[in-house]
Amino acid sequence: MEQNDAIQSKDDVYSKDFAPKKINKDSSEYGRPKPGTLTEQRAKKAAAHVHREMLTLCEVVEDYGKREKEDGPIRITFGRLFTIYVNISDKVVGTLLRARKHKMIDFEGEMLFQKRDDHVIITLLLEGSELKAAIRAHAAANPKD
């Protein structure tokens, strides 16, 4: 029992025996919650929600965008997408940036602003069967989402 109390006091930040753990910045633990904690569960739930929003954004671009050539990529202007997607979520720009980071869509520039960048073309990189497979995989991995 004493050994268990000693282990707990070393982990308790309010204990006089607390010693912060040295973590290497290259470690996989760095910047991550402890496994099995509520914080880890919340982080996983948030990541699943963000992924679902990115897939929804791709679906909207696929539904409302147009192809210039029959075999070309689907494209839509930022102004048109903003007008449509703002009814779904108020996080249009953040979701676009995240989807670009995950190579689902592409556009020029670092940031998009309403009105100023309404003419910027957004190109869908993940479409058709790839998009449907990603949606199915997300649904299977997150049944409550």
Side-chain angles (χ1 to χ4, degrees), residues 7 11 35 44 53 60 74 88 91 129 131-132 135:
I7 292 169
D11 289 338
K44 286 180 178 179
E53 283 210 6
V60 169
I74 297 173
I88 299 167
K91 300 174 217 60
S129 60
L131 179 57
K132 301 224 182 324
I135 291 168

Side-chain angles (χ1 to χ4, degrees), residues 37-97:
T37 62
L38 285 174
T39 303
E40 182 190 38
Q41 289 176 359
R42 287 190 292 267
K44 286 180 178 179
K45 187 176 178 182
H49 178 75
V50 168
H51 191 73
R52 178 69 205 145
E53 283 210 6
M54 291 188 301
L55 292 172
T56 300
L57 177 81
C58 290
E59 284 181 302
V60 169
V61 173
E62 188 173 52
D63 291 345
Y64 292 93
K66 294 183 177 144
R67 296 181 194 273
E68 290 177 11
K69 298 176 186 170
E70 192 172 312
D71 60 340
I74 297 173
R75 296 182 172 168
I76 191 170
T77 63
F78 173 65
R80 179 158 162 72
L81 179 63
F82 190 93
T83 303
I84 296 164
Y85 196 76
V86 80
N87 294 322
I88 299 167
S89 173
D90 60 349
K91 300 174 217 60
V92 180
V93 176
T95 306
L96 277 167
L97 292 171

